[in-house]
Amino acid sequence: MKFAQIIDFETERIDEVRDLLRSYEERARSAGRTGAPDSRTLLKDRANPNRYLAVVEFESYEAAMANSNAPETSELAQQLSALMTRPPVYTDCDVQDRQNIR
């Protein structure tokens, strides 16, 4: 079953966050690392301009946990936490239904 993790965070340094995420994703793809995320969507809260939600999708919960335990992911988490104004909040979700409307 597909799995998604929602990461709720605040930062005043979103460009640096994006750069770190892109670099991490490129390294994971080029290394062919199993368990890496399938997709990522970054959302910005209109009511709070420094609040963001990252929706990261994985092939399965097991793949997400393997990714979470990878040393590269721990390093990324440390780098990202230095750019955040509060600790992130994680929500783990099983994907029940997903439709592309267009």
Side-chain angles (χ1 to χ4, degrees):
M1 173 179 287
K2 288 273 194 180
F3 177 80
Q5 187 171 65
I6 302 168
I7 307 161
D8 179 338
F9 66 96
E10 291 182 11
T11 185
E12 296 173 350
R13 301 164 66 182
I14 192 60
D15 290 334
E16 292 171 75
V17 168
R18 282 188 181 124
D19 289 345
L20 279 173
L21 291 172
R22 286 181 187 134
S23 176
Y24 169 81
E25 291 160 355
E26 287 173 14
R27 286 193 314 272
R29 271 194 302 273
S30 67
R33 192 161 55 85
T34 59
D38 291 339
S39 68
R40 174 183 51 83
T41 302
L42 184 62
L43 309 171
K44 182 177 181 177
D45 186 338
R46 285 182 163 257
N48 179 349
N50 290 329
R51 181 177 177 231
Y52 297 86
L53 300 166
V55 181
V56 185
E57 292 190 38
F58 297 86
E59 187 60 38
S60 66
Y61 172 79
E62 292 76 21
M65 294 305 101
N67 181 71
S68 181
N69 293 327
E72 302 93 336
T73 305
S74 296
E75 181 181 334
L76 174 68
Q78 287 180 327
Q79 293 171 328
L80 288 172
S81 68
L83 301 174
M84 296 179 184
T85 57
R86 67 162 168 81
V89 175
Y90 295 88
T91 304
D92 294 342
C93 305
D94 291 325
V95 177
Q96 298 294 300
D97 187 34
R98 184 170 190 260
Q99 299 294 320
N100 291 322
I101 304 303
R102 287 207 229 190

